[in-house]
Amino acid sequence: MSAISLTPARRELIAATAATGAIGLLAGALRAAGAGDSIRPFTIKIPQNEIAELRQRIAATRWPDQETVNDRSQGIQLARLQEIVRYWGTEYDWRKGEAKLNALPQFMTEIDGLDIHFIHVRSKHPEALPLIMTHGWPGSVFELLKTVGPLTDPLAHGGSPEDAFDLVLPSMPGYGLSGKPNGTGWAPDRIARAWAELMKRLGYERYVAQGGDWGAPVSSAMARQAPRGLLGIHINLPATIPAEVAAVLAAGGPAPAGLVEKERAAFRSLDTFYKKYRAYAALMGTRPQTIGYALTDSPAGLAAWMYDYNNGEPERWLSKDEMLDDVTLYWLTNSATSSARLYWETMGQSVLLATAQRTAEISLPVAITVFPEEVYAAPETWARRAYRNLIYFNEVSKGGHFAAWEEPKLFSAELRTAFRSLRPAQ
């Protein structure tokens, strides 16, 4: 069985131990057909010397010149990043982030030759609907943690027991605690097949899937593949860009004629995104190894690269500690290069264009929530063109690209409503 891709010292100190009661949570779900199917309880404990080395590297940061403009048009501003990095190296406590993960049942299992890390939380409600949720870049399972309570125990969070979910939260291959592919081919279609195998291995015969950012093309690939048991999907970065609009965006031309107001607004947002912020995807999609050298060697460089995503303002909704939990996980697991390769696997496409593929092949039910601060607000007219079995579409009043992280209560309420019609009759 392949080992998780961590340093030798860390392999010795990260123990696969069961959290209290964790084995009970998997009762009836472990398969004994062979070693490759085994599910191993997992706990993370990063050696203190690796945390000390991170702080030393932060303290030794060599800073560039200050930007020559008074805005973010050249990237994240020097003073802003220096403040974030100073806090990271002197006040931030990784052990608190580590404890957030270890407070939940975590597991490892080998699928398709690769170790997959996942969090598995069963609801106390017996009729809970199993749900697998997929994070994106530059995210991780951290971005989904605040939804665990509202989704698994809705009664305690303003919902009804009938809306409960069992949650499966995997780390994508090459991200965080999952193994790193040592060959090519781990694109959304392959990840989707791995997720279907994971749900089968856990004993789930009926389930739903959800994703934003890269989780959207993974969930969409699952819907195309329609594995046995998958009832439908919910996505919050939908593949709704019509082919003629995508062609104009790629060419840098003006908005096509005949668009209604919401479609014109969506085009303007997409045009701004492609002109100002898409460089990260182009670079990782064509030179993930090259950018990886810099991001792997410099904590400040990694923080800048991740922070500048989503218009450079993640702290509109996230605290410094929440943001740095994610950045630190990437650093400690050396995931900058391995995560970037997902863009290369999709031939340098951004998530938006990668998702806007083959939607006509999806016959399973699809639900969409549009968050106003997303890269673009997908118009319902485009959504209905893209998905022939659209069972739910809603525009909410707040939230952005990392919706589950930013607005967990609203996000959870949307999933309860979106999937209600797919639950078995009580």
Side-chain angles (χ1 to χ4, degrees), residues 24-359:
L25 292 170
L26 277 183
L30 299 179
R31 298 177 66 200
D37 289 341
S38 68
I39 296 174
R40 300 111 59 192
F42 178 82
T43 298
I44 179 172
K45 174 69 173 177
I46 299 296
Q48 189 61 35
N49 68 298
E50 296 201 16
I51 297 172
E53 183 203 24
L54 169 58
R55 288 176 175 158
Q56 290 169 1
R57 284 176 173 265
I58 289 172
T61 299
R62 184 187 184 198
W63 295 102
D65 298 337
Q66 184 173 328
E67 63 279 356
T68 58
V69 293
N70 295 321
D71 54 30
R72 297 194 316 272
S73 61
Q74 294 181 354
I76 180 173
Q77 293 162 301
L78 179 62
R80 186 74 196 101
L81 185 63
Q82 285 179 325
E83 170 54 25
I84 294 168
V85 171
R86 181 207 62 78
Y87 179 84
W88 190 15
T90 58
E91 299 181 48
Y92 169 77
D93 184 0
W94 162 252
R95 295 302 181 200
K96 292 180 180 179
E98 192 174 76
K100 294 177 189 177
L101 296 176
N102 288 336
L104 298 169
Q106 298 178 87
F107 302 90
M108 287 283 187
T109 191
E110 183 183 325
I111 300 177
D112 197 4
L114 197 69
D115 267 359
I116 299 298
H117 164 266
F118 65 99
I119 294 168
H120 184 203
V121 183
R122 288 188 183 272
S123 173
K124 64 182 179 182
H125 301 293
E127 300 302 320
L129 178 64
L131 166 63
I132 183 168
M133 293 205 297
T134 308
H135 66 81
W137 184 95
S140 66
V141 289
F142 272 119
E143 71 183 77
L144 305 174
L145 297 189
K146 290 192 285 187
T147 68
V148 171
L151 290 174
T152 61
D153 189 10
L155 189 60
H157 296 269
S160 303
E162 294 79 12
D163 290 328
F165 294 90
D166 284 348
L167 282 188
V168 180
L169 311 178
S171 296
M172 288 206 298
Y175 286 68
L177 297 165
S178 279
K180 298 174 184 175
N182 57 14
T184 61
W186 278 98
D189 280 7
R190 188 170 179 181
I191 298 171
R193 289 191 292 271
W195 283 188
E197 170 60 25
L198 175 59
M199 297 303 278
K200 178 182 177 183
R201 194 169 294 182
L202 291 171
Y204 289 127
E205 297 181 353
R206 296 166 61 87
Y207 64 94
V208 291
Q210 196 284 328
D213 196 83
W214 278 114
V218 170
S219 299
S220 297
M222 293 181 74
R224 286 199 311 272
Q225 294 163 7
R228 183 175 181 180
L230 180 62
L231 303 176
I233 65 170
H234 175 278
I235 47 181
N236 54 290
L237 185 59
T240 66
I241 307 173
E244 68 274 16
V245 175
V248 172
L249 287 167
L259 299 181
V260 300
E261 178 52 38
K262 285 193 175 181
E263 293 172 344
R264 286 195 297 271
F267 182 88
R268 288 193 295 269
S269 296
L270 289 164
D271 191 48
T272 298
F273 176 79
Y274 276 89
K275 288 177 178 176
K276 293 187 176 181
Y277 300 110
R278 190 181 171 271
Y280 79 95
L283 187 52
M284 293 194 298
T286 56
R287 288 295 185 269
Q289 195 71 21
T290 301
I291 188 62
Y293 294 124
L295 303 183
T296 299
D297 188 60
S298 170
L302 179 65
W305 190 248
M306 295 174 70
Y307 183 94
D308 198 53
Y309 186 70
N310 202 25
N311 298 350
E313 291 190 71
E315 285 184 78
R316 286 182 293 180
W317 297 284
L318 305 178
S319 69
K320 285 193 190 75
D321 285 348
E322 288 174 329
M323 183 181 65
L324 289 171
D325 284 342
D326 190 51
V327 178
T328 307
L329 181 66
Y330 272 69
W331 177 267
L332 293 173
T333 57
N334 197 12
S335 296
T337 306
S338 54
S339 62
R341 290 194 185 109
L342 183 54
Y343 289 83
W344 184 89
E345 290 284 358
T346 55
M347 298 177 290
Q349 292 178 323
S350 71
V351 175
L352 289 170
L353 289 183
T355 59
Q357 305 292 323
R358 300 163 59 190
T359 55

